């Protein structure tokens, strides 16, 4: 491809200076040339860049830089209306291309450009994305990722499309068996749940008729069930972590109704089982905190059997030596304290102390250390109703007075 292009202006021809796409120019050099040329003749440069994307002789590396230049143009000056269709078509094709036809770097650059373009041409971009999200057909990885980016950046304009998008996503998730698509699906779902949460907080800012939390929950709950029942037990650590991250924002929406709360309580053992896997413990603890907080605020108690399982599992987390790196261990420990206080708040203190006493009497070594650490969190925070249960605290501690291990002595 030529490094310069002639542009007619008032009957004369002028070259666009400083525009070099040659590989030897380096990333920074090429970008500097694009930016400088665009300041002088933005329309002509934008046209040249779109044509460059359509030409096979332009390398993938060059096209990545071209996309970056186009994003700068879109943010600073926009592009001519007649170029928008061509840019959407080429970017959509390249982000959905097979791995042997386009590198992941090029696909990501095309995806980012479409998301940026949606800021000024939302309708055409969204229609293109919807065209490639069809019921029961596996979508391309970057179609999902781009939908998530657009939803996050254009919350209120996305509202009319969220219903059909979420309904279609229900059907396509059952067609996905590869980890990359599952990860992309979870990322997109997380962004959409974030958009829904933002909308629900300030729905009156939208010109579209109000969509209720219950309606969004109806779209999301079938996906929640599939995520936690089919994808969370996956052998792929990346998929499990992506599911846990998506569930965080999803539960913010689903836990608002008591009917769904009760069903979600039944999945607590599935979450607790993830502590044994190689995933970030902090994510699991955070989800437990969300469930307990919803239980407390709605006065919808968690069954005692789950409370006992949570208390026992968290005591093991407190004493675990496997939580690395140290920063994550510290964050998880802080969140565990929050969860234990929520556990005390959504139950009668005597029930929680009864669980602690049983574990102290039957447990040994590190189990006792963990339970004593959790008791210390509850007593130190002066949880309402705990003052009247001091005799139970004393009784619990007495049960381990004969344990002379240094770590137990620390909490007595």
């Amino acid at each position: 491809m030529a490094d310069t292009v002639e542009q007619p202006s008032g009957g004369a021809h002028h070259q666009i200076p400083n525009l070099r796409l040659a590989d030897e120019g380096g990333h920074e050099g090429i970008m500097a040339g694009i930016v400088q040329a665009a300041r002088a003749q933005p329309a002509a440069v934008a046209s040249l860049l779109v044509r460059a994307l359509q030409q096979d002789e332009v390398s993938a590396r060059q096209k990545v830089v071209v996309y970056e230049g186009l994003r700068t143009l879109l943010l600073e000056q926009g592009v001519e209306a007649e170029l928008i269709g061509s840019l959407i078509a080429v970017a959509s094709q390249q982000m959905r291309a097979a791995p042997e036809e386009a590198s992941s770097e090029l696909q990501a650059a095309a995806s980012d450009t479409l998301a940026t373009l949606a800021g000024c041409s939302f309708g055409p971009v969204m229609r293109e994305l919807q065209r490639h999200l069809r019921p029961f057909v596996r979508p391309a990885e970057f179609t999902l990722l781009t939908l998530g980016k657009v939803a996050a950046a254009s919350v209120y304009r996305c509202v009319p499309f969220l219903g059909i998008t979420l309904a279609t996503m229900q059907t396509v998730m059952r067609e996905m068996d590869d980890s990359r698509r599952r990860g992309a699906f979870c990322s997109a779902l997380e962004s959409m749940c974030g958009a829904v949460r933002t909308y629900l907080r300030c729905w009156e800012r939208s010109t579209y008729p109000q969509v209720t939390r219950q309606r969004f929950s109806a779209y999301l709950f079938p996906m929640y069930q599939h995520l936690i029942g089919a994808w969370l037990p996956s052998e792929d650590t990346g998929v499990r972590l992506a599911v846990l991250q998506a569930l965080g924002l999803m539960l913010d929406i689903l836990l608002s109704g008591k009917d769904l709360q009760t069903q979600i309580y039944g999945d607590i053992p599935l979450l607790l089982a993830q502590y044994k896997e190689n995933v970030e413990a902090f994510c699991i603890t955070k989800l437990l905190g969300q469930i307990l907080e919803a239980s407390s605020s709605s006065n919808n108690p968690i069954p005692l059997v789950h409370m006992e399982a949570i208390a026992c599992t968290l005591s093991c987390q407190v004493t675990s030596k496997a939580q690395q790196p140290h920063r994550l261990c510290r964050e998880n420990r802080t969140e565990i304290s929050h969860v234990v206080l929520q556990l005390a708040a959504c139950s009668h203190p005597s029930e929680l102390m009864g669980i602690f006493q049983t574990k102290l009497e039957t447990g040994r070594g590190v189990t006792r250390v963990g339970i004593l650490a959790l008791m210390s969190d509850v007593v130190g925070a002066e949880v309402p109703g705990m003052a009247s249960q001091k005799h139970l605290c004393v009784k619990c501690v007495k049960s381990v007075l004969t344990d002379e291990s240094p770590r137990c002595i620390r909490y007595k």
Side-chain angles (χ1 to χ4, degrees), residues 292-293 295-297 300-302 307 341-348 351:
L292 289 166
E293 191 168 346
S295 169
S296 178
S297 61
N300 185 20
I302 288 177
M307 288 176 52
L341 296 181
Q342 291 292 337
L343 198 62
C346 65
S347 65
H348 192 278
E351 293 178 338

Side-chain angles (χ1 to χ4, degrees), residues 311 314-315 318 333 336 340 356 370-378:
L314 292 184
S315 71
V318 169
R333 180 65 183 89
I336 285 173
V340 171
F356 287 164
I371 293 295
L372 287 171
L374 299 185
M375 280 183 59
S376 177
D377 290 337
V378 175

Side-chain angles (χ1 to χ4, degrees), residues 136-173:
F136 303 103
V137 177
R138 284 187 301 176
E141 174 189 357
F142 280 95
T143 297
L144 293 167
L145 292 174
T146 309
L147 276 167
K149 295 171 191 174
V150 172
S154 306
V155 172
Y156 296 100
R157 285 186 289 182
C158 274
V159 172
F161 297 90
L162 279 174
I164 185 63
T165 301
L166 293 172
T168 304
M169 288 176 71
Q170 286 183 30
T171 68
V172 302
M173 70 185 304

Side-chain angles (χ1 to χ4, degrees), residues 156 160 199 203-210:
Y156 296 100
Y199 167 79
W203 64 266
E204 62 276 2
R205 292 177 56 183
S206 173
T207 57
Y208 190 74
Q210 182 184 6

Side-chain angles (χ1 to χ4, degrees), residues 257-273:
K258 277 192 175 183
D259 54 333
L260 295 182
Q261 281 180 13
T262 302
Q263 295 184 63
I264 291 169
Y265 292 167
D267 296 322
I268 288 176
L270 290 173
L271 290 176
L272 295 177

Side-chain angles (χ1 to χ4, degrees), residues 54-370:
Q54 298 168 332
Q55 297 183 11
D56 293 338
E57 60 266 28
V58 178
S59 70
R61 178 178 174 275
Q62 289 174 316
K63 288 178 180 178
V64 169
V65 184
V66 167
Y67 276 122
E68 186 176 343
L70 282 167
R71 291 198 297 276
T72 301
L73 266 173
L74 286 166
L75 292 172
E76 293 182 357
Q77 303 180 60
V79 297
E80 297 292 322
E82 56 266 24
L83 283 178
I84 291 175
S86 298
L87 178 54
I88 290 175
V90 67
S92 175
Q93 185 274 324
Q94 289 175 357
M95 80 168 185
R96 293 179 291 102
E100 60 271 15
E101 297 175 3
S103 66
S104 59
E105 186 182 13
L106 177 58
Q107 290 176 306
S111 169
D112 289 341
T113 303
L114 280 177
T116 302
L117 183 59
C120 58
S121 300
F122 178 82
V125 171
M126 181 55 78
R127 284 193 293 273
E128 175 68 14
L129 294 174
Q130 293 290 330
R131 195 163 68 89
H132 297 288
L133 184 70
R134 300 188 296 275
F136 303 103
V137 177
R138 284 187 301 176
E141 174 189 357
F142 280 95
T143 297
L144 293 167
L145 292 174
T146 309
L147 276 167
K149 295 171 191 174
V150 172
S154 306
V155 172
Y156 296 100
R157 285 186 289 182
C158 274
V159 172
F161 297 90
L162 279 174
I164 185 63
T165 301
L166 293 172
T168 304
M169 288 176 71
Q170 286 183 30
T171 68
V172 302
M173 70 185 304
R174 288 169 173 77
E175 306 299 319
M176 295 182 186
D177 52 9
D178 62 290
S179 58
R180 288 184 64 89
R181 276 194 180 88
R182 287 185 174 187
F185 183 97
C186 290
S187 177
L189 186 59
E190 182 180 6
S191 295
M192 289 181 191
C193 288
V196 169
R197 186 176 65 173
T198 299
Y199 167 79
L200 291 173
R201 287 174 176 172
C202 302
W203 64 266
E204 62 276 2
R205 292 177 56 183
S206 173
T207 57
Y208 190 74
Q210 182 184 6
V211 184
T212 64
R213 187 183 295 268
Q214 289 72 24
R215 186 172 172 188
F216 281 122
S217 294
Y219 289 126
L220 292 172
F221 191 65
M223 286 189 279
Y224 161 82
Q225 290 179 304
H226 193 75
L227 285 177
I228 204 162
W231 288 12
L232 189 58
S234 167
E235 295 181 359
D236 190 293
T237 302
V239 171
R240 290 200 301 269
L241 185 55
V243 170
L244 291 171
Q245 291 171 335
L247 287 177
L249 288 172
M250 186 182 286
L251 286 178
D252 272 352
I253 301 165
L254 297 178
L255 286 169
S256 61
K258 277 192 175 183
D259 54 333
L260 295 182
Q261 281 180 13
T262 302
Q263 295 184 63
I264 291 169
Y265 292 167
D267 296 322
I268 288 176
L270 290 173
L271 290 176
L272 295 177
Q274 294 306 305
Y275 278 123
K276 300 176 183 178
E277 305 295 342
N278 186 26
V279 294
E280 190 175 319
F282 175 74
C283 291
I284 308 167
T285 311
K286 193 79 173 174
L287 293 176
L288 292 172
Q290 287 180 255
I291 296 171
L292 289 166
E293 191 168 346
S295 169
S296 178
S297 61
S298 63
N299 195 27
N300 185 20
I302 288 177
L304 186 60
V305 63
H306 295 326
M307 288 176 52
E308 184 174 356
I310 292 172
C312 184
T313 303
L314 292 184
S315 71
C316 295
Q317 281 292 299
V318 169
T319 56
S320 173
K321 297 180 180 179
Q323 296 182 55
Q324 296 294 334
H326 178 68
R327 182 183 65 82
L328 295 180
C329 177
R330 185 168 61 249
E331 286 182 352
N332 192 37
R333 180 65 183 89
T334 301
E335 190 62 27
I336 285 173
S337 295
H338 171 72
V339 170
V340 171
L341 296 181
Q342 291 292 337
L343 198 62
C346 65
S347 65
H348 192 278
S350 62
E351 293 178 338
L352 185 59
M353 297 308 294
I355 293 172
F356 287 164
Q357 182 181 355
T358 300
K359 295 301 177 184
L360 287 173
E361 290 175 346
T362 59
R364 290 290 182 272
V366 293
T367 299
R368 286 179 165 180
V369 172

